[in-house]
Amino acid sequence: MQTALTIATQGPGLYEFTGQACQFVQRCQVDTGLLTIFVRHTSCSLVIQENADRDVKADLDEFFARLVPENMPWLRHTLEGPDDMPAHIKAALTQVSLSIPISAGSPVLGTWQGIYLFEHRRAPHQRDVVLHLST
């Protein structure tokens, strides 16, 4: 079973879609399986992260902005703007796919875990995410 989501972003940050992923799993009526989530882009990524305290999101944004700043003079790939190559680097440091076990018909996530698209570009985007459930 498979579906695709479009996640609208408004610049850098974490965009939670845990609810949409859980709804997909429930619709599939699979008791035990594996949910694979894949983002079809190279300048954003996927993460499982705390969804209780908003400061976690802010701190992650700040950390990655400091870790991979814009306007590094040695970058060659600059045609798409100063945030593009840093976005590719951030995506390479994180993940473009996630695997989440399914048990008792639900994703096996911890109490405070949420599923996020991590946008690394400044401009708004429509990001395509594929969810695939196997048994």
Side-chain angles (χ1 to χ4, degrees):
M1 291 146 276
Q2 190 168 289
T3 193
L5 305 175
T6 300
I7 299 174
T9 66
Q10 298 300 315
L14 288 105
Y15 296 82
E16 187 172 8
F17 64 99
T18 310
Q20 292 168 280
C22 290
Q23 289 172 358
F24 166 68
V25 171
Q26 289 171 352
R27 283 193 311 268
C28 292
Q29 298 180 332
V30 170
D31 186 61
T32 304
L34 184 66
L35 175 63
T36 302
I37 304 173
F38 178 77
V39 64
R40 300 181 60 202
H41 304 278
T42 59
S43 57
C44 64
S45 55
L46 300 170
V47 295
I48 293 177
Q49 203 42 254
E50 179 178 331
N51 64 359
D53 186 344
R54 298 172 70 135
D55 287 343
V56 172
K57 292 169 45 174
D59 288 345
L60 281 169
D61 286 339
E62 182 69 21
F63 173 78
F64 275 92
R66 290 176 185 223
L67 182 67
V68 186
E70 291 184 17
N71 298 312
M72 292 179 278
W74 51 269
L75 293 177
R76 292 178 188 90
H77 178 73
T78 59
L79 293 176
E80 295 179 55
D83 69 328
D84 187 46
M85 190 60 215
H88 292 300
I89 294 169
K90 292 171 188 175
L93 292 172
T94 51
Q95 306 170 80
V96 294
S97 68
L98 300 170
S99 297
I100 303 169
I102 304 301
S103 181
S106 295
V108 182
L109 293 168
T111 302
W112 309 117
Q113 287 184 318
I115 306 166
Y116 293 89
L117 178 115
F118 197 175
E119 178 62 69
H120 304 302
R121 298 291 309 267
R122 280 188 270 123
H125 284 84
Q126 298 290 317
R127 299 302 196 171
D128 298 321
V129 177
V130 177
L131 284 71
H132 178 86
L133 183 57
S134 56
T135 56

